[in-house]
Amino acid sequence: MEKLKSLGFKLTPQRLAILKYLKGNKEHPSAETIYKALKRKFPTMSLATIYNTIENLKKKGLIWELTLDPDKKRIDPNPEPHHHFLCEKCHRIFDVLYEISVPLERLEQEGFQITRSQVEFIGLCPHCKKIKK
Ligand code: ZN
Ligand code: MN
């Protein structure tokens, strides 16, 4: 929170509610999910407010936007580099915290400058795999 203030981020009650919802959230929610969760408590909150807040936090490097779900962008409040698994049945996104070695130095040798990298896994989560049987 202090960090946000020092970054010139205005903390309105609605923005605070969004931050609180995202803090420690491991579900990788979409903007719509955040909206649904908060609109009962904040009836005047609009989807636009959520998009704006997400955009702001993203620009400040405090959250990361995941694009591996083809249906909607998902928010990751953990900006530290890590990998993800998307369940193609329930569309839940799980953190993959194992270290995966990718020869990034080869790409750099080819002249690419890498800003960020992550490995995406797609398949069935343990729950959906059990149901399928
Ligand atoms: Zn699943
Ligand atoms: Mn994550």
Side-chain angles (χ1 to χ4, degrees):
M1 294 293 165
E2 286 308 310
K3 196 176 165 199
L4 282 169
K5 274 187 211 154
S6 69
L7 287 167
F9 189 80
K10 265 189 241 144
L11 285 173
T12 63
Q14 296 196 350
R15 282 182 161 186
L16 260 172
I18 296 171
L19 286 166
K20 230 176 119 190
Y21 182 80
L22 284 174
K23 199 178 175 217
N25 189 316
K26 296 201 164 43
E27 305 285 312
H28 306 96
S30 66
E32 289 80 4
T33 305
I34 301 171
Y35 177 63
K36 276 185 205 144
L38 296 180
K39 80 171 169 195
R40 204 175 304 154
K41 205 172 162 202
F42 296 87
T44 57
M45 173 123 49
S46 69
L47 203 46
T49 306
I50 294 181
Y51 282 124
N52 281 333
T53 307
I54 288 170
E55 201 51 39
N56 261 295
L57 293 169
K58 198 175 81 180
K59 275 195 201 131
K60 295 185 195 314
L62 298 168
I63 60 166
W64 190 246
E65 207 164 44
L66 305 178
T67 52
L68 77 161
D69 179 357
D71 291 342
K72 40 187 108 106
K73 286 185 189 164
R74 309 276 292 262
I75 314 304
D76 195 334
N78 175 10
E80 296 300 318
H82 59 281
H83 311 293
H84 291 100
F85 182 101
L86 169 71
C87 175
E88 48 192 353
K89 190 124 185 263
C90 67
H91 285 208
R92 277 196 285 170
I93 292 178
F94 300 83
D95 285 332
V96 176
L97 300 172
Y98 300 115
E99 235 177 88
I100 298 160
S101 100
V102 179
L104 296 179
E105 62 287 348
R106 299 243 188 108
L107 273 171
E108 274 160 357
Q109 278 161 16
E110 288 175 36
F112 293 100
Q113 186 185 323
I114 299 148
T115 313
R116 199 184 167 88
S117 73
Q118 72 144 333
V119 179
E120 297 178 355
F121 299 90
I122 295 168
L124 290 175
C125 73
H127 178 74
C128 294
K129 192 182 144 202
K130 228 185 251 169
I131 288 175
K132 210 185 150 208
K133 275 185 190 162

